[in-house]
Each structure stands twice: as structure tokens, then as C-alpha cells.
Amino acid sequence: MGRHRGNSPDEDDHRPRRRSGRSRRRRGRGGAITAFAAAFAVLLGLGVTGWVLIDRQGGCGREDISLEVLAASELSPVLTRIASSFNAEEHSLDGRCVQVEVRGADSANVAYGISGAGPTMGDTSSHVWIPDSSLWPSLVERSTENAVLTDTGTAVAHSPLVLALPREAAEDGEATSWATLVPTDTAAPGNGGYDVRLIDPVRSSSGLATLALIKGAIGDGQEQQARLIAAFQGLQQGVAADEEAAFSALSGDSGDASPVLVLSEQAAWRYNNEHENAPAHVNYPEGGTYTLDYPYLLRTDDPLLSRAAEAFRAELTGDDAQSLIRGEGFRSADGTADTEVLRSEAGFQKEIPAELPSPSGGAVEQLTRAWNQLKLNTRMLTVLDISGSMAEAVPGTGLTRMNVTTQAATEGLSLFPEDAEIGLWEFSVRINGDLDYRETVPIRPLDNEVEGGTQHQALTTALAGIEPKPDGDTGLYDTILAAYREMSRTYKADRVNTILVLTDGNNDDEGSISLDELLTTLEEEFVPDRPVAVISIAFGPDIDPEPLERIAQVTKGAAYSTDDPTEIGDIFLQSFALRIADTGEEG
């Protein structure tokens, strides 16, 4: 804390000032005061912990300096109490009292308000912002270059991510890691048998950090990318829209079996305070976790407001304020916890867990985009080859190519949520009058009622009953063009519109359009704002992958090929990597 100053403006202007690290003094008038304040703002912008000339003796005789602080909703109540005491002490700058107003705000809401990168509600302006995690300013910096946002290097509080389980589930004492929490597909829990839930990552730093932790556990590479997609789609099945919904799921009020929730320590503590009849037990994953760090961020370059912000920052890092913050279930920045608050009987541990590196801004942006793209629902037309060669046996399996293909397609249906819209065509040559294709099941949501069952059941039944056409040829090009035009005509902007072609042959319909004609037509009819991607999976020893690769390139789709039809299932999953890739490149 800097040297005290008097209340008289004249005395203030002539009083000597001490410069940090020097015994020498200089005198300065109003211009010097402005220069000093500007210099201090620069120091603060560089993350240097400064000091403020401030008078705690009261007697402010001029208009107050109003400092507006937006803080994470769970932190704002205790900061409001600290600000009230701070204001009562009449901290003075240049003969003006600093009056701090703290407002609670959703961290994601403020981040999107600053960057303009997402939906916001309410006023998100302030001089200081204390989000729950540095993930949010990282996103802001990636989204805009115009925001005034300075990291002071101060963490107001810490709260590691933990697993909150029902007490009875925690009694098993089974060790967990982020790897054991990875869902293996959209219908199954993680490898450890846990039904893992998280709060929507678009709105929650704990949810966003969970995606980063799970991605880290899975690793990189093409096979890992497919597993990541399966994990994300599995997590989306039980994602909680907000913390209230997550708490309801954990308590069993939602009617579902109690899941394992990824929460911060402080959120788990609040849950237990609010649900004494259904308390949770806290578990710490092996190998470390991510920690919410509540950074103190400056959103003004005004010298006087910067000094006021520094005064309140110093207050928050003091012993008294930190004690109050720990009393609300947080840890201090050094990891210290109040063991009378975070009690061991609820599973909380005194020592702060090992902290895993926080994801970079680019990684956060990629994860958010991936989650949103996978959340955007699917509208897909599956086009299945029924030419004669599909009746050929697959060595070592006892199955035909058709058997293997329809089994893979049936299993692939489990990748989609029940409101995904999926239909089925089959094709060969002239199987529908002069047409090479025919509709088997119209495109409808999987959960729609269809003839006493659901669309999902109708597709499963249709796939099981498809038979190859003896001696049938492959009318590939006319079918792709017809499917593309149908999907373009019925395009839905709120969905990912895709054509999935499953074939074991090359186009051998002598009466069809040529490849060059098809490519030219697709290029002319492709609309970037209404994209319909063609994804193809071709198999068999005689397949020529080049035509399908060129079709994929024109439609921003993907083309996969293999000599082994038993690999179709894995390729089917890998094809979904297209939805979270930076660009729609072919496979």
C-alpha cells in the first residue's frame, strides 16, 4: 500500500511522492499527477503489482469515483460484502472516495457481450471483470482485437474441478481418472461405468474445461478423433443446460438415475448446502484436474479508474477478504482451503489437487466449435448400393458385403440423437422404372411414430430386409445427382444436411451422365450458405476411389475407401470427424 495522502486538493498537488524502488523524491503539479496515473495504468497493463496513493482517513470532499465490478455469479455475494466494508472505510484518491459496486454476472454472458461472438442478455459493461475462469478472456482475445481487457496477474479465488457423486455411489471407492470417464459411445457410460454429466460447455467453464480434459485423455490422431466424436455425442445426451438443471439431476429430482457431475469444489459445496437430504460426495480424478482461477481483469484504460481498480484488487487479496472468500467454499490462490467449510466427510481434501495445464485460446475455440457443430442436429439421406456385387462373400466372416454394410449402418444409427432426421434410398440400375434409385424410407426424425413403431425401427427393419439385385449394375452418378438435388430442395438451415453413399463399385451405367458432367453440375448447384456434403464409404478390391474423392471435394464432403468391408463400422464413425474439422476436406 502506498503512502497516505491528505484531503486538500492544493496540498495534494504539492506533496512529494515516493516512486517505487527509489529514495529520491520529485515534486509535481496536476500534469505530473496525470502522468503518474497514466504510467500506473501501463504498469498495471503489464501485470506489475503496483501500489496506490490512497487515504483511508475519510473525509472525501468531491464527487465519488464509481468503480463497477462484474463478478462470476457464485463469487459476487461475498465480493459485495467486501465492497460494502471497503466503501464504508472511505478510500480516497485525489480527494475523491472510491465506491465499488459489485454485480453478479454469468461469465459466458459477459464474454459473449464483449466479443460479440454469441448471445448475451443484460448489461455486460464494467470497469473490472472477474469471470470464473481464464478460459473466457482467452476466448475474447481470440474473437476480437478491440476489447480493452488487461490481466492484472491476480487470481481472486481458486476452485478445482471435481466429480460430485451420490454418497452411495462414492462408497465403492473406485479410483477414477479422466480417461475412465470417457463415454465409449452415445449410449454407454465411460469405461469405468460412470454416467458422466456436465453443464453445457457453451455456457459453463466447468463444462468447457471437461471437454478439454477428456480430449487430453483421448489424445490426438485420426482414430482418437473418431473416439472424441463418440465421447462428445455421448456427453450431449445428458448435458445439463445450466447449474440448476445439473443440481436437479444429481439430487434425483429430474427422475433420472443419479449421474456423476463434473463441478467445481465450490459448486459441489453449494449443492450440499442446498440439498441436505441428498448430499453429494466429492471425488478427485487421479492425475490432476483443471482449476477455475477467477482472474481480476481490468476493462478500462482511464488512469483514475485503473488506480481505483488497483485499490480494490489490493483489498481482495488481503487476509481479511481472503478469509471471507474461503468461507464461501473457495480456495485462496495458493490453494489454501477452510477445512471447516470444505469438510473431509464430504470428500473434500485439504491439499489442492495437481493442476493440469489450462487449454490455449485456440484449443478452447476449437472445442467450442466442435461441440456446437456436433450439437447442430443431423439431416441425412443414406444411399445404399444394391448392385449384384453386394452379394459377394466377405472372406473369413460368413457374411456378404450387403450383410456387413447393413449391420454397420444399423449400428451407426446409435450415433444420432432421437430427433435426428434420417432417410434411406437404395440404388442399382433401372430399379424404379428408368431411374437407378428409389426411396425406401422417407427422411423423418428417428423418434417419429411410423406404422406402430418409430422411424428408428423402420430404418432398422428396412436395412435388415434389403437384398442385392442379381446381376444389377451400379448407377452411381445419376443417383448422387438425384440425391443432391433432393437434399438441396428440402434443405433445413438448422441442421447438418448430408448424403452418405455406401457402395462397393464404380459407376457402370452406360446411360448415365459422365463424371465430368456430374462434377460440373454439382459445382454449379453448390450453394455455400446451404451446403449439402456428400460423404462416401467405398469398399472392395476393385474400387476406384478417385471419382468419389472428386465429388467430395466439390461438395465439401469426404471420401473413404477400404479393401476390407469389415472396416466400414470404424470408417462410418470416422466420417463424423468432418463435422468438427476446421475445413470440409476429403478423407
Side-chain angles (χ1 to χ4, degrees):
M1 182 60 64
R3 184 177 175 183
H4 292 268
R5 300 173 58 187
N7 297 323
S8 167
D10 292 335
E11 179 185 353
D12 232 15
D13 285 349
H14 295 85
R15 225 164 183 189
R17 302 184 177 197
R18 179 178 302 160
R19 298 185 65 184
S20 177
R22 300 188 182 185
S23 59
R24 179 178 169 188
R25 297 184 177 184
R26 294 184 180 179
R27 296 182 180 272
R29 297 185 182 273
I33 293 175
T34 302
F36 175 84
F40 181 83
V42 172
L43 287 174
L44 191 61
L46 293 173
V48 178
T49 302
W51 46 272
V52 179
L53 296 177
I54 193 164
D55 184 359
R56 290 176 177 264
Q57 297 176 2
C60 310
R62 298 163 60 187
E63 183 181 356
D64 292 340
I65 303 169
S66 297
L67 184 71
E68 297 179 3
V69 177
L70 282 180
S73 301
E74 66 274 17
L75 184 64
S76 63
V78 65
L79 294 197
T80 299
R81 290 157 51 199
I82 296 170
S84 180
S85 298
F86 177 88
N87 294 340
E89 292 173 357
E90 296 189 335
H91 295 251
S92 175
L93 289 175
D94 297 349
R96 300 170 62 183
C97 274
V98 179
Q99 291 291 303
V100 178
E101 177 193 0
V102 177
R103 306 197 314 272
D106 177 81
S107 297
N109 193 51
V110 179
Y112 297 141
I114 296 173
S115 66
T120 58
M121 296 178 61
D123 182 14
T124 59
S125 63
S126 66
H127 304 125
V128 172
W129 179 32
I130 310 175
D132 56 11
S133 170
S134 293
L135 293 175
W136 298 117
S138 178
L139 274 178
V140 169
E141 291 172 0
R142 295 279 300 184
S143 302
T144 180
E145 298 178 355
N146 301 321
V148 176
L149 198 62
T150 303
D151 188 349
T152 66
T154 294
V156 174
H158 272 185
S159 193
L161 295 188
V162 297
L163 305 176
L165 303 82
R167 285 193 183 276
E168 56 272 18
E171 291 175 357
D172 295 340
E174 188 174 344
T176 58
S177 67
W178 292 107
T180 64
L181 299 174
V182 177
T184 54
D185 56 50
T186 60
N191 297 331
Y194 296 99
D195 180 14
V196 182
R197 305 287 182 91
L198 71 162
I199 304 173
D200 188 354
V202 176
R203 308 296 310 183
S204 162
S205 54
S206 66
L208 187 53
T210 301
L211 297 188
L213 290 165
I214 286 179
K215 184 179 187 300
I218 291 174
D220 297 317
Q222 188 174 25
E223 292 183 5
Q224 287 79 5
Q225 185 85 326
R227 189 178 174 212
L228 179 67
I229 293 167
F232 276 20
Q233 291 191 308
L235 290 169
Q236 285 184 352
Q237 298 303 305
V239 68
D242 50 32
E243 189 177 85
E244 182 180 355
F247 282 5
S248 178
L250 184 58
S251 68
D253 292 342
S254 64
D256 297 332
S258 296
V260 176
L261 280 179
V262 181
L263 300 171
S264 69
E265 279 184 336
Q266 201 272 342
W269 172 79
R270 278 188 290 111
Y271 169 84
N272 281 352
N273 283 351
E274 298 170 12
H275 300 82
E276 295 182 356
N277 294 330
H281 191 85
V282 166
N283 194 341
Y284 294 81
E286 292 182 340
T289 188
Y290 179 76
T291 298
L292 305 188
D293 57 346
Y294 296 90
Y296 192 91
L297 306 170
L298 191 63
R299 294 184 62 194
T300 179
D301 52 12
D302 180 273
L304 190 60
L305 287 170
S306 297
R307 292 166 60 201
E310 166 62 13
F312 189 55
R313 185 206 65 80
E315 183 79 10
L316 294 181
T317 58
D319 292 342
D320 290 344
Q322 284 294 299
S323 179
L324 289 174
I325 289 171
R326 289 193 298 270
E328 295 300 319
F330 298 96
R331 292 177 184 260
S332 300
D334 63 359
T336 302
D338 186 337
T339 55
E340 293 300 315
V341 176
L342 300 179
R343 303 175 69 88
S344 59
E345 49 264 44
F348 294 106
Q349 62 185 38
K350 180 179 180 180
E351 301 78 15
I352 192 167
E355 186 171 353
L356 296 175
S358 94
S360 67
V364 169
E365 186 178 44
Q366 185 181 34
L367 286 168
T368 304
R369 182 172 62 250
W371 181 266
N372 284 335
Q373 288 175 336
L374 286 173
K375 188 169 62 175
L376 187 63
N377 218 333
T378 295
R379 181 172 180 271
M380 186 174 78
L381 175 59
T382 300
V383 180
L384 179 59
D385 187 351
I386 63 167
S387 60
S389 58
M390 292 289 285
E392 293 184 13
V394 177
T397 67
L399 302 173
T400 65
R401 292 180 181 179
M402 180 63 76
N403 296 148
V404 171
T405 303
T406 55
Q407 284 183 14
T410 301
E411 292 171 2
L413 290 175
S414 66
L415 294 173
F416 301 98
E418 286 302 298
D419 56 352
E421 297 183 1
I422 299 179
L424 177 65
W425 284 12
E426 55 188 13
F427 74 96
S428 179
V429 172
R430 289 181 290 280
I431 61 172
N432 183 18
D434 290 333
L435 301 178
D436 293 345
Y437 51 87
R438 64 185 169 216
E439 181 181 76
T440 306
V441 181
I443 299 177
R444 291 178 291 226
L446 289 177
D447 57 0
N448 265 26
E449 292 187 9
V450 178
E451 298 178 355
T454 65
Q455 173 77 352
H456 192 296
Q457 292 168 334
L459 287 166
T460 300
T461 300
L463 287 167
I466 288 180
E467 296 287 344
K469 178 185 178 184
D471 301 321
D473 291 327
T474 306
L476 184 63
Y477 297 161
D478 280 351
T479 299
I480 289 178
L481 181 57
Y484 186 86
R485 286 176 167 170
E486 175 63 16
M487 290 294 284
S488 297
R489 183 185 68 80
T490 59
Y491 183 88
K492 291 189 177 180
D494 62 339
R495 293 177 178 265
V496 177
N497 296 257
T498 306
I499 298 168
L500 176 64
V501 180
L502 300 171
T503 182
D504 75 336
N506 306 306
N507 184 75
D508 53 12
D509 179 6
E510 295 180 355
S512 78
I513 61 172
S514 69
L515 176 61
D516 287 341
E517 289 174 325
L518 173 62
L519 294 173
T520 299
T521 304
L522 290 174
E523 192 168 13
E524 290 174 348
E525 297 184 8
F526 181 79
V527 180
D529 293 338
R530 296 168 58 88
V532 175
V534 177
I535 299 176
S536 59
I537 302 177
F539 45 89
D542 302 322
I543 196 73
D544 179 6
E546 183 181 358
L548 292 171
E549 289 172 356
R550 295 177 66 185
I551 292 168
Q553 186 174 17
V554 169
T555 62
K556 309 301 181 187
Y560 302 86
S561 61
T562 177
D563 291 338
D564 183 1
T566 62
E567 295 180 353
I568 293 175
D570 291 336
I571 295 175
F572 192 92
L573 180 57
Q574 289 175 22
S575 70
F576 282 82
L578 178 67
R579 295 182 62 176
I580 67 171
D582 289 333
T583 58
E585 296 178 351
E586 60 196 81

